[in-house]
Each structure stands twice: as structure tokens, then as C-alpha cells.
Amino acid sequence: MIFLFTVLIAVPLGAYMKKVYSNEKNILDFLKPVEHLIFKICGLNPDSQMNWKKYLVALLTIQVFWLVFAFVILIFQGKLFLNPSAIPGMEWTLALHSSISFLSSTNLQHYSGESGASYLSQTGVFTFLQFVSAATSLAAGVAIVRGLRPDSEPGVGNFFSDFLKSCTRILLPLSVIVAIVFMFLGMPMTFKGSAKVITLQGDTVNVARGPVASMIPIKELGSNGGGFFGANDAHPFENPNFAAFIVHFIIVFLLPMAFVFFIGYFLNNKKFSWMLFAVMTAGFILLVIPIVKDESAGNPKIAAMGISQSAGNMEGKEVRFGVHYSALYCAENIVIPAGTVAAVHDSFMPLSDTAMLIGMQVDAFYGGLGTGWINMFIFLVIAVFIGTLMIGRSPELFGKKISTGEMQAAVGVSVLQILVPVALAAIACFVYTSHLDGSAAWLSNKGAHGFTTMLYEYITSTAGNGSNFAGLNNNTPFWNLTTSIAMLFGRFVPIIGGLLIIGLMREKKHIPSSLGTLQTDSYTFGAFLFAVILILSVLSLFVILMAGPIAEHFSI
């Protein structure tokens, strides 16, 4: 019911997004004077068309400014204002990691929010970066969709226009609405310091609080995932009750799902968007089933101790919501790289871990806001190239030929998405095994589970997911710096590759479709596309999974 309700909201929202990015009249046009003022102050012309190179340069350049700004604030947060709990500045590798993490919309946290970040950092850095990173993802996705239109203009739009509209017309209004709902449901919104509470036992406890309701909506609407508290959505202030939990379910799915329908409206091909929706939903269901099934079945090791597993594998689960909802929420935040958690992934069963790793690696079954479509576009190009050659036709997508350059870029992105996390995991294994004296005592578990823990950290970084597996002491210079590399690759390689491909396609003459053209909006092609995704992502990870969660599964 939650899923169907979200679909019912996402369809009209996708139509609204089409109006926004097509400069059509919409209900938020009263914001135009504010937007024009911002452009005037910044000296930007939002109407100038950019080709893919200018669009990419604009996108990358502004990232540098945000990175420096965030790094400086985090280093000096202990000496700045809005710090009632006197939290010290971050160590430089942690500050760099945290800045890159939120800039890349990964939100992998090697710090605990309530004790590691001041209110200034929480609002002025992390909440701010969650807005602009989501808007950047959305703008990049829109540019690639715009590039598929069969018009003669070489440009893909204007980055600054797409970026600002993503903030003012979509992300900010929705975040305000959701924040109000969360506050009514009991989520705190205050700039006061920790509250002293006397428990029923007479103990005095300092309870962390803060401007929580301002961060949580954008963390999930924007496929970000950074929690105000270390426990993330398992914390009662981030997830006060079951009604709030349902809202969490909805808003994580909402915009990535709406973007799929936006594609159909924007390209005037609703059948194509429903084909994509079917492929993504099939992938989501196939990942949900093993996670929910295995967690519901319980842990045989615990059952062997005589402990009842009738409630399922409750180790590390949110007791307020039980196994089924905790497992479903895990699956949702794997396919949508918001990466928010309401349970400890380290305590999930091995086959559940396998599904998590596959879901993050694919990152196209809905995927992140904008970026999920970019990853699907990469798969789409490869599938069209293979499919058209199989029927004896020259490859073309939406009337544009796909040649060597496009395929090289698509395959390059696909290979790097696998190579980077696997290579870094291999380096981590070497460093760990070279320090058996304990100087690199990162892991709380050894063997196959320990390998899964390290592999998960790099795949979640590359995929922009950012969920913590736990069981890993990751706030060290080694992990801070190596996961930063993974996050930068995972964030910008698909964006660069996607814009390069669409730029090459825009340079070619549009060819009207004919009876021999491969119909990319058919469900037959959707099945073929799904098979290509499985071959490229799942099989390429198979050997690695055998050394980790699959080996652990057979051991228990």
C-alpha cells in the first residue's frame, strides 16, 4: 500500500517537474522574481544554452567552492557560533571525508552527528550540502533527458537554471511541507543545547537534540541519507513513531520515482517511462524478497542456542517496527541510495548482505534522484548497442546513432563502477593483513564477514549510498581518505560519462524511426535491458560475493 500510494503521488509530480524544466506555467511561478534576483546578483544568464562541455564545467566548478567552504567550517567549528555543546573541530581527514561525503550526496558518516558536529555544521554545512548535491544530481539527470529530445539545438540546457529550479521549485517546497509534518509528529526543531533529564532511576542524562526537522526531509527527498544522530532513523528523534516511519518510506521513494515519470512526460513518450518503471520495480522486488525472507526466517546460530526465532532475526533491528518493516526499509534504502538505516546492517543475514551489495552496485533500480537515471542511461546505451546488432541494425537511441565513442564511454563507466570498490577493498585487505599486530584493528569480525564489512564500505561509497554496515572502525586516516576516493569516482564518473555520451549523440543528425528500429519502449526490450543489467553488475560481482557473504552463508 505504501508503494502504491507513492506511485499515485509520483505520477502527477513527474508531470509538474516536466513543466518546471520546460519553462511552462506552473503553480510556483511567483518565485520567478526571487530567481531572477539571484541570477542578477551572481551575474548569470539563465537563458543561455550550454553544450555538454560548458554544462559539465559549470557543474564541476561550483563543487570546488562548496568543498572548500564545507572543509573550512568543519575544521574550525569548535571556534565558531551555534555550538552550545562546545563540540571541537574535526580532524582534517575526517573533515575532508565528511565534506566530500555530503558534497557527493553519499552522506557516509564517520562521525556521530550529536557529538561530532555543531549546529552550524549540521545546518550550514550538512543540510546545505544535501540541498545542493541533490539539486546537482537532478540538474545532471535533466540535462541528459533533455539531450534525448529530437530537436536541432546542440545544447543540453543551462546548468544554473536547472540547478536553481531544482532547489526553489522542487526540493525546498517539498522539504518545508515534510518538515512541518515531522514537527507535528514529534520531531524536534530547536537550537538549544542538550537537555538534562532525570530518569526514573534518578540518574541525570544529557539528551542531545537540535534542528532535526530541518535536515531529515532533504536527507530522504534528495536521496542523501545523512542523519542528525549517529543512530540515523533508528533514533526516536529522527523517527518518533510509526506514522513518521511511513512518511520516511514515502519520501525516500517519491522523487526518484517521480523522475522516471518525468522522463516520459518530457520526451512525450509515457510508454518509455513505464517500461523503465517496470524494469526498476522488478529489480527492487527481486532484492526485497531475499532480505525480508532471510530476516523473517531468523538466525539458525541463535536458534541452536535454544532462543526462539519466531519473531525473526531481531538482532540489530528496530524493536518498535519489527523485522518485516526494518528489512523492507533496508531494501528501499539500498535501491534508493539515501542509505538511511533503521537497523544495523552488520546483523543482517549473509544472503541479505548479498542483496544489499548487488542493489548498491546496480544503483539503477530507481537509484538516486537524477543519478539513478544516469546509471540506467549507461545500461540503456549498452543494451541498445547489443540489441540492435543482434537484429542486424545499426545502433540508435531516440533517433541518434550510437557509435564507438558512446560505447567506450558507457563501458568505461560500467567497468570503473566495479573496479574502484573492488580494487580499494583489495588494498584494505592487504593493509589489514600486513598489520596483524593490531595497529590496523579495524574489524570486529574476522573471516568472510570481515571481508564483507570492508567490501560494503567501498561499494556503499562508490554507489553514493552511504549506509554504514557497522563492525568497522572507519574513522581513521586510511578509511577517511580511501572512501573519499571511492565517493569522488562514484559521484562524478557517471555524470561525466553520461554528459559525454549525450554530447556525442547531440552532434549527430536525427534519424526518424522506421519499422526496423529497435523499439526501446517495449516490455520485450525492458526484459532484455534487465538481463543486460544482471550480466554487467551481478555476474561481475559474483566471485567477490563468493568470498564474502555467500561463503558466510554456507558456514552457518
Side-chain angles (χ1 to χ4, degrees):
M1 290 300 295
I2 297 171
F3 183 86
L4 293 176
F5 180 74
T6 308
V7 174
L8 291 176
I9 304 174
V11 173
L13 183 56
Y16 165 74
M17 291 169 67
K18 185 260 182 181
K19 292 181 178 181
V20 169
Y21 295 111
S22 297
N23 296 318
E24 298 175 8
K25 187 176 181 180
N26 59 76
I27 59 174
L28 293 183
D29 277 345
F30 65 88
L31 293 173
K32 279 185 177 180
V34 177
E35 294 168 346
H36 287 319
L37 178 61
I38 294 173
F39 286 129
K40 186 175 181 180
I41 293 173
C42 297
L44 299 170
N45 178 11
D47 299 319
S48 64
Q49 280 288 312
M50 296 178 174
N51 60 27
W52 75 273
K53 293 179 182 178
K54 290 183 179 179
Y55 201 100
L56 180 61
V57 168
L59 185 153
L60 295 177
T61 301
I62 201 168
Q63 309 297 310
V64 177
F65 288 101
W66 291 332
L67 177 61
V68 173
F69 162 77
F71 180 75
V72 171
I73 295 295
L74 296 179
I75 286 287
F76 295 106
Q77 68 176 0
K79 300 178 180 179
L80 298 173
F81 54 95
L82 287 180
N83 190 10
S85 299
I87 294 173
M90 290 186 180
E91 183 267 335
W92 78 268
T93 64
L94 178 59
L96 179 64
H97 174 274
S98 301
S99 301
I100 292 174
S101 182
F102 280 80
L103 181 73
S104 62
S105 197
T106 307
N107 295 190
L108 178 65
Q109 294 172 279
H110 287 181
Y111 67 94
S112 185
E114 62 266 47
S115 59
S118 67
Y119 290 169
L120 176 62
S121 297
Q122 294 275 38
T123 56
V125 176
F126 297 138
T127 303
F128 168 74
L129 287 181
Q130 289 188 89
F131 269 101
V132 297
S133 62
T136 300
S137 303
L138 194 47
V142 168
I144 291 175
V145 176
R146 188 181 288 119
L148 292 175
R149 275 185 164 179
D151 51 52
S152 58
E153 292 185 8
V156 293
N158 183 289
F159 168 74
F160 298 108
S161 176
D162 292 339
F163 171 80
L164 187 60
K165 286 178 180 176
S166 299
C167 290
T168 58
R169 305 293 182 100
I170 298 171
L171 296 173
L172 187 58
L174 286 174
S175 294
V176 170
I177 294 170
V178 175
I180 293 172
V181 172
F182 275 147
M183 284 190 286
F184 273 111
L185 292 174
M187 192 175 290
M189 181 63 197
T190 178
F191 284 95
K192 295 180 181 179
S194 300
K196 289 187 177 180
V197 177
I198 299 177
T199 67
L200 294 176
Q201 297 181 157
D203 299 328
T204 300
V205 179
N206 288 322
V207 179
R209 53 184 176 173
V212 184
S214 64
M215 174 189 279
I216 305 309
I218 188 59
K219 98 170 185 180
E220 294 178 341
L221 285 165
S223 305
N224 291 298
F228 194 96
F229 300 96
N232 212 284
D233 279 356
H235 196 288
F237 285 174
E238 288 199 25
N239 208 353
N241 46 52
F242 190 74
F245 198 31
I246 296 299
V247 177
H248 282 288
F249 269 107
I250 293 170
I251 62 176
V252 168
F253 260 137
L254 183 58
L255 282 175
M257 193 178 287
F259 194 92
V260 178
F261 298 114
F262 154 76
I263 295 170
Y265 284 112
F266 198 85
L267 297 178
N268 195 27
N269 191 341
K270 295 179 185 178
K271 189 178 178 181
F272 178 71
S273 66
W274 280 105
M275 181 277 293
L276 291 179
F277 178 77
V279 171
M280 293 175 176
T281 303
F284 170 62
I285 292 172
L286 288 178
L287 291 170
V288 166
I289 291 173
I291 295 177
V292 174
K293 179 178 178 293
D294 266 50
E295 299 314 306
S296 300
N299 190 329
K301 289 287 188 180
I302 296 178
M305 298 167 62
I307 300 173
S308 172
Q309 293 293 283
S310 59
N313 177 29
M314 281 299 296
E315 180 190 350
K317 302 298 187 299
E318 172 53 77
V319 295
R320 293 181 296 164
F321 309 129
V323 164
H324 294 95
Y325 282 105
S326 297
L328 180 60
Y329 195 62
C330 166
E332 179 185 24
N333 281 278
I334 288 302
V335 297
I336 309 288
T340 59
V341 295
V344 180
H345 290 183
D346 184 46
S347 297
F348 278 63
M349 299 302 293
L351 291 185
S352 298
D353 299 339
T354 302
M356 293 181 206
L357 292 168
I358 293 171
M360 289 189 295
Q361 184 59 48
V362 173
D363 197 19
F365 296 145
Y366 304 115
L369 176 57
T371 55
W373 152 246
I374 294 175
N375 291 320
M376 181 58 78
F377 176 67
I378 299 297
F379 289 124
L380 187 65
V381 169
I382 296 173
V384 167
F385 185 85
I386 297 172
T388 50
L389 292 181
M390 289 174 66
I391 62 174
R393 300 281 297 181
S394 58
E396 61 183 65
L397 177 63
F398 283 90
K400 297 296 179 73
K401 294 287 186 183
I402 297 175
S403 55
T404 305
E406 290 90 331
M407 275 303 295
Q408 287 176 335
V411 172
V413 171
S414 181
V415 170
L416 282 173
Q417 292 294 87
I418 297 285
L419 177 62
V420 170
V422 171
L424 289 172
I427 293 171
C429 289
F430 173 77
V431 173
Y432 181 77
T433 55
S434 299
H435 293 77
L436 297 179
D437 59 349
S439 59
W442 301 323
L443 299 173
S444 58
N445 294 281
K446 312 298 181 183
H449 191 84
F451 175 73
T452 301
T453 303
M454 293 191 286
L455 178 64
Y456 189 103
E457 186 80 358
Y458 288 119
I459 288 184
T460 193
S461 299
T462 308
N465 188 281
S467 57
N468 263 313
F469 193 72
L472 176 68
N473 179 24
N474 50 21
N475 185 17
T476 64
F478 176 84
W479 285 102
N480 287 338
L481 296 177
T482 55
T483 52
S484 293
I485 294 171
M487 288 186 290
L488 288 173
F489 267 94
R491 170 65 164 180
F492 295 110
V493 166
I495 290 177
I496 294 171
L499 287 173
L500 169 60
I501 292 170
I502 209 67
L504 293 173
M505 292 174 65
R506 295 291 284 178
E507 295 173 354
K508 298 173 182 177
K509 183 179 179 181
H510 179 264
I511 303 171
S513 60
S514 64
L515 292 176
T517 301
L518 181 66
Q519 299 300 310
T520 55
D521 56 2
S522 69
Y523 289 101
T524 302
F525 177 76
F528 180 73
L529 173 61
F530 188 77
V532 169
I533 293 172
L534 291 181
I535 292 169
L536 289 178
S537 295
V538 180
L539 294 185
S540 59
L541 267 180
F542 183 73
V543 176
I544 309 301
L545 295 175
M546 286 293 292
I550 296 178
E552 183 185 0
H553 168 73
F554 285 113
S555 70
I556 62 174

